[in-house]
Amino acid sequence: MAQQSSPVDYVNPLIGTESKYELSNGNTYPAIARPWGMNFWTPQTGNMGDGWVYTYTADKIKGFKQTHQPSPWNNDYGQFSLMPMTGKPQFDQEKRASWFSHKAEVVKPYYYSVYLADHDVTTELTPSQRAAVFQFIFPKTEQAYVIIDAFDKGSYIKVVPQENKIIGYSTKNSGGVPDNFKNYFVITFDRPFSYKAGVRNGNIKDNELEIQDDHAGAIIGFPSLKRGEKVMAKVASSFISFEQAELNLNEVKSKTFEQVADEGKNNGMRYWGVFR
């Protein structure tokens, strides 16, 4: 990723995040997104459904969430999250959570990175307009996992191991959506799964590859990894269909993480060059 400073590097997405329900002040979250992007991504320190999705004073991250939230008072719609972990696979948001420090957090509009101390994993993400690329940098381990949480209020997950892929949808919303509302998503990984499980309302079901319920999720694991080895995930979504989500994935399908990050930085430079 290019290191030369530009106007977009002076943008601090953490401004306004030292807020809470009891003191309505700031009320922002770090939105990692392209200008006018369809989807934003944010580290999630709050509980599922909490409008205060990220607060600066929190010390644990529970997932990395795709969000469309305009404000904590309006809350979110069509959200889902990814979370890497090591050790015994856990789905519960408190058990999978990891301590983090702002000293090991890099926050740019086009790039986010944080070290998850409990799992010894660094997570990096960079978005396009309708998709995103993740890099999970694991320690030496035989217990490397990624949790996909489609949230409650009606969701669906299907693991497709022969394609290193997961598809699903979330219907969670705070009102103002049509009756048939769904946020369809597709996630592809750069290596095969050594572990596969569906999650039904918090219960982990080994080798159950398709779940439709109030709260669906999945956990996938990877073969023995060397320290510093990167697992890449490419994610896209659509409010129309799985087929459209697959088409949206083409924004990043043939690109490296660095290419998407550099495009995001250059896109931000043009935007700030116009409005500064």
Side-chain angles (χ1 to χ4, degrees), residues 212-234:
Q212 183 177 11
D213 215 308
D214 178 72
H215 187 179
I219 304 175
I220 47 100
F222 304 98
S224 179
L225 298 179
K226 300 175 183 177
R227 183 164 192 84
E229 193 166 353
K230 296 179 180 179
V231 173
M232 182 180 289
K234 296 183 176 182

Side-chain angles (χ1 to χ4, degrees), residues 45-190:
T45 65
N47 290 329
M48 179 177 63
D50 187 345
W52 278 261
V53 61
Y54 178 101
T55 53
Y56 190 83
T57 53
D59 56 15
K60 286 196 172 184
I61 286 176
K62 300 171 182 178
F64 299 91
K65 187 173 87 157
Q66 187 191 94
T67 177
H68 309 93
Q69 179 171 295
S71 82
W73 298 108
N74 293 96
N75 216 307
D76 208 348
Y77 62 95
Q79 61 264 48
F80 64 95
S81 72
L82 288 76
M83 180 66 179
M85 70 173 301
T86 55
K88 180 182 177 182
Q90 302 278 3
F91 187 78
D92 179 88
Q93 62 185 353
E94 300 296 338
K95 293 179 180 178
R96 75 191 187 210
S98 173
W99 181 89
F100 80 106
S101 167
H102 297 299
K103 294 178 181 178
E105 185 183 39
V106 179
V107 190
K108 306 285 185 181
Y110 58 89
Y111 171 82
Y112 180 85
S113 173
V114 70
Y115 176 66
L116 302 173
D118 288 278
H119 304 308
D120 196 13
V121 175
T122 296
T123 294
E124 297 180 301
L125 74 90
T126 186
S128 66
Q129 291 290 115
R130 302 168 186 83
V133 183
F134 282 81
Q135 284 188 156
F136 304 112
I137 306 170
F138 282 95
K140 181 179 180 180
T141 181
E142 295 181 0
Q143 295 179 303
Y145 303 96
V146 175
I147 294 98
I148 297 89
D149 191 340
F151 285 32
D152 61 0
K153 308 303 181 185
S155 50
Y156 170 81
I157 285 277
K158 183 178 181 181
V159 181
V160 189
Q162 63 271 26
E163 299 181 48
N164 305 337
K165 182 167 73 173
I166 294 171
I167 64 171
Y169 63 71
S170 169
T171 68
K172 190 172 179 66
N173 66 84
S174 302
V177 301
D179 292 339
N180 64 346
F181 170 79
K182 290 182 176 70
N183 185 27
Y184 299 90
F185 60 83
V186 56
I187 308 169
T188 62
F189 290 84
D190 65 347

Side-chain angles (χ1 to χ4, degrees), residues 246-262:
E246 292 274 5
L247 289 174
N248 291 343
L249 192 64
N250 287 332
E251 291 185 353
V252 298
K253 199 168 188 177
S254 62
K255 297 175 183 177
T256 66
F257 184 95
E258 290 74 19
Q259 284 174 325
V260 177
D262 283 343

